[in-house]
Short mmCIF file of all heavy atoms in Angstrom, two decimals:
data_model
loop_
_atom_site.label_atom_id
_atom_site.label_comp_id
_atom_site.label_asym_id
_atom_site.label_seq_id
_atom_site.Cartn_x
_atom_site.Cartn_y
_atom_site.Cartn_z
N GLY A 216 98.54 104.78 85.07
CA GLY A 216 98.18 103.45 84.57
C GLY A 216 97.83 102.48 85.68
O GLY A 216 96.85 101.74 85.59
N THR A 217 98.61 102.49 86.74
CA THR A 217 98.34 101.60 87.86
C THR A 217 97.02 101.97 88.54
O THR A 217 96.23 101.09 88.89
CB THR A 217 99.50 101.67 88.88
OG1 THR A 217 100.72 101.34 88.21
CG2 THR A 217 99.28 100.71 90.03
N THR A 218 96.77 103.25 88.70
CA THR A 218 95.52 103.70 89.32
C THR A 218 94.32 103.33 88.46
O THR A 218 93.31 102.84 88.97
CB THR A 218 95.55 105.23 89.56
OG1 THR A 218 96.71 105.54 90.33
CG2 THR A 218 94.31 105.70 90.28
N LEU A 219 94.44 103.54 87.16
CA LEU A 219 93.34 103.19 86.25
C LEU A 219 93.10 101.68 86.25
O LEU A 219 91.96 101.22 86.26
CB LEU A 219 93.62 103.70 84.84
CG LEU A 219 92.49 103.59 83.83
CD1 LEU A 219 91.24 104.32 84.31
CD2 LEU A 219 92.92 104.13 82.49
N ASN A 220 94.16 100.89 86.27
CA ASN A 220 94.01 99.43 86.34
C ASN A 220 93.31 99.01 87.62
O ASN A 220 92.44 98.14 87.61
CB ASN A 220 95.37 98.74 86.22
CG ASN A 220 95.92 98.77 84.81
OD1 ASN A 220 95.21 99.08 83.86
ND2 ASN A 220 97.19 98.47 84.66
N CYS A 221 93.68 99.62 88.74
CA CYS A 221 93.00 99.31 90.02
C CYS A 221 91.53 99.68 89.94
O CYS A 221 90.67 98.93 90.41
CB CYS A 221 93.66 100.04 91.18
SG CYS A 221 95.24 99.35 91.65
N LEU A 222 91.23 100.80 89.33
CA LEU A 222 89.85 101.24 89.18
C LEU A 222 89.05 100.25 88.33
O LEU A 222 87.91 99.93 88.64
CB LEU A 222 89.84 102.62 88.53
CG LEU A 222 88.51 103.33 88.41
CD1 LEU A 222 88.02 103.75 89.79
CD2 LEU A 222 88.66 104.55 87.53
N LEU A 223 89.68 99.73 87.29
CA LEU A 223 89.01 98.79 86.40
C LEU A 223 88.83 97.41 87.04
O LEU A 223 87.90 96.69 86.71
CB LEU A 223 89.78 98.66 85.09
CG LEU A 223 89.77 99.90 84.20
CD1 LEU A 223 90.81 99.77 83.09
CD2 LEU A 223 88.39 100.13 83.61
N LEU A 224 89.72 97.04 87.94
CA LEU A 224 89.68 95.70 88.52
C LEU A 224 88.92 95.63 89.85
O LEU A 224 88.49 94.55 90.25
CB LEU A 224 91.11 95.19 88.74
CG LEU A 224 91.90 94.94 87.45
CD1 LEU A 224 93.34 94.57 87.79
CD2 LEU A 224 91.25 93.85 86.63
N ARG A 225 88.76 96.76 90.52
CA ARG A 225 88.11 96.74 91.83
C ARG A 225 86.79 97.50 91.78
O ARG A 225 86.77 98.72 91.63
CB ARG A 225 89.03 97.37 92.88
CG ARG A 225 90.26 96.52 93.12
CD ARG A 225 91.15 97.08 94.18
NE ARG A 225 90.41 97.42 95.38
CZ ARG A 225 90.92 98.18 96.35
NH1 ARG A 225 92.14 98.66 96.25
NH2 ARG A 225 90.21 98.46 97.42
N LYS A 226 85.73 96.77 91.92
CA LYS A 226 84.39 97.34 91.86
C LYS A 226 84.16 98.36 92.97
O LYS A 226 83.45 99.34 92.79
CB LYS A 226 83.36 96.21 91.93
CG LYS A 226 81.97 96.62 91.65
CD LYS A 226 81.06 95.42 91.61
CE LYS A 226 79.67 95.85 91.23
NZ LYS A 226 78.79 94.74 91.01
N ASP A 227 84.77 98.14 94.13
CA ASP A 227 84.57 99.04 95.25
C ASP A 227 85.14 100.44 95.01
O ASP A 227 84.80 101.39 95.71
CB ASP A 227 85.15 98.45 96.54
CG ASP A 227 86.64 98.21 96.45
OD1 ASP A 227 87.10 97.68 95.42
OD2 ASP A 227 87.35 98.53 97.43
N LEU A 228 86.02 100.59 94.02
CA LEU A 228 86.59 101.90 93.71
C LEU A 228 85.76 102.68 92.69
O LEU A 228 85.99 103.87 92.48
CB LEU A 228 88.01 101.75 93.18
CG LEU A 228 89.04 101.22 94.17
CD1 LEU A 228 90.40 101.08 93.51
CD2 LEU A 228 89.13 102.11 95.40
N CYS A 229 84.81 102.02 92.04
CA CYS A 229 83.99 102.66 91.02
C CYS A 229 82.77 103.32 91.67
O CYS A 229 81.66 102.79 91.62
CB CYS A 229 83.56 101.66 89.95
SG CYS A 229 84.92 101.09 88.94
N SER A 230 82.99 104.46 92.28
CA SER A 230 81.90 105.17 92.94
C SER A 230 82.09 106.67 92.75
O SER A 230 83.18 107.14 92.38
CB SER A 230 81.88 104.84 94.44
OG SER A 230 83.05 105.34 95.06
N TRP A 231 81.03 107.40 93.02
CA TRP A 231 81.06 108.86 92.89
C TRP A 231 82.10 109.47 93.81
O TRP A 231 82.87 110.34 93.40
CB TRP A 231 79.66 109.40 93.19
CG TRP A 231 79.56 110.88 93.08
CD1 TRP A 231 79.41 111.61 91.94
CD2 TRP A 231 79.63 111.82 94.16
NE1 TRP A 231 79.37 112.94 92.23
CE2 TRP A 231 79.50 113.11 93.61
CE3 TRP A 231 79.78 111.69 95.53
CZ2 TRP A 231 79.53 114.26 94.36
CZ3 TRP A 231 79.80 112.85 96.29
CH2 TRP A 231 79.67 114.11 95.71
N SER A 232 82.16 109.02 95.06
CA SER A 232 83.10 109.60 96.02
C SER A 232 84.55 109.32 95.63
O SER A 232 85.42 110.17 95.80
CB SER A 232 82.81 109.08 97.43
OG SER A 232 82.94 107.68 97.48
N CYS A 233 84.79 108.16 95.06
CA CYS A 233 86.15 107.85 94.59
C CYS A 233 86.51 108.76 93.41
O CYS A 233 87.65 109.21 93.28
CB CYS A 233 86.26 106.38 94.20
SG CYS A 233 87.93 105.90 93.74
N GLY A 234 85.53 109.02 92.54
CA GLY A 234 85.76 109.93 91.42
C GLY A 234 86.12 111.33 91.89
O GLY A 234 87.01 111.98 91.34
N ILE A 235 85.43 111.80 92.93
CA ILE A 235 85.73 113.12 93.51
C ILE A 235 87.15 113.14 94.07
O ILE A 235 87.92 114.07 93.84
CB ILE A 235 84.72 113.46 94.64
CG1 ILE A 235 83.34 113.65 94.07
CG2 ILE A 235 85.17 114.66 95.45
CD1 ILE A 235 83.13 114.92 93.32
N GLN A 236 87.50 112.10 94.81
CA GLN A 236 88.83 112.03 95.42
C GLN A 236 89.92 111.96 94.35
O GLN A 236 90.94 112.65 94.45
CB GLN A 236 88.90 110.81 96.33
CG GLN A 236 90.17 110.74 97.14
CD GLN A 236 90.15 109.56 98.10
OE1 GLN A 236 89.34 108.65 98.00
NE2 GLN A 236 91.06 109.57 99.05
N LEU A 237 89.70 111.15 93.32
CA LEU A 237 90.67 111.05 92.22
C LEU A 237 90.86 112.40 91.55
O LEU A 237 91.99 112.83 91.30
CB LEU A 237 90.19 110.05 91.17
CG LEU A 237 90.61 108.61 91.32
CD1 LEU A 237 89.93 107.75 90.28
CD2 LEU A 237 92.11 108.48 91.20
N ARG A 238 89.75 113.06 91.22
CA ARG A 238 89.83 114.34 90.52
C ARG A 238 90.55 115.39 91.37
O ARG A 238 91.34 116.17 90.86
CB ARG A 238 88.43 114.82 90.15
CG ARG A 238 88.44 116.01 89.23
CD ARG A 238 89.12 115.65 87.89
NE ARG A 238 89.40 116.83 87.15
CZ ARG A 238 90.62 117.22 86.77
NH1 ARG A 238 91.67 116.49 87.04
NH2 ARG A 238 90.80 118.32 86.11
N HIS A 239 90.31 115.38 92.67
CA HIS A 239 91.00 116.32 93.56
C HIS A 239 92.51 116.05 93.54
O HIS A 239 93.31 116.98 93.41
CB HIS A 239 90.45 116.20 94.98
CG HIS A 239 91.26 116.97 95.98
ND1 HIS A 239 91.21 118.34 96.07
CD2 HIS A 239 92.17 116.56 96.90
CE1 HIS A 239 92.06 118.74 97.02
NE2 HIS A 239 92.64 117.68 97.54
N ASN A 240 92.88 114.80 93.68
CA ASN A 240 94.31 114.45 93.71
C ASN A 240 94.99 114.78 92.38
O ASN A 240 96.12 115.27 92.36
CB ASN A 240 94.49 112.98 94.05
CG ASN A 240 94.11 112.68 95.48
OD1 ASN A 240 94.07 113.56 96.33
ND2 ASN A 240 93.81 111.42 95.76
N ILE A 241 94.30 114.52 91.28
CA ILE A 241 94.87 114.83 89.96
C ILE A 241 95.04 116.33 89.79
O ILE A 241 96.06 116.79 89.27
CB ILE A 241 94.00 114.24 88.83
CG1 ILE A 241 94.02 112.72 88.88
CG2 ILE A 241 94.47 114.72 87.47
CD1 ILE A 241 92.95 112.06 88.03
N SER A 242 94.06 117.10 90.25
CA SER A 242 94.18 118.56 90.13
C SER A 242 95.35 119.08 90.96
O SER A 242 96.02 120.03 90.56
CB SER A 242 92.88 119.26 90.51
OG SER A 242 92.60 119.09 91.87
N ARG A 243 95.62 118.45 92.10
CA ARG A 243 96.79 118.85 92.90
C ARG A 243 98.09 118.56 92.15
O ARG A 243 99.02 119.36 92.17
CB ARG A 243 96.79 118.12 94.25
CG ARG A 243 95.61 118.43 95.16
CD ARG A 243 95.58 119.87 95.63
NE ARG A 243 96.77 120.26 96.35
CZ ARG A 243 96.88 120.36 97.66
NH1 ARG A 243 95.85 120.13 98.42
NH2 ARG A 243 98.01 120.73 98.21
#
């Protein structure tokens, strides 16, 4: 929830590379 809220509030986190990093961390 905190990560999703940060993603929704910070435009700099809404990018393809951030999506890759998030997905990698979640898969771990």
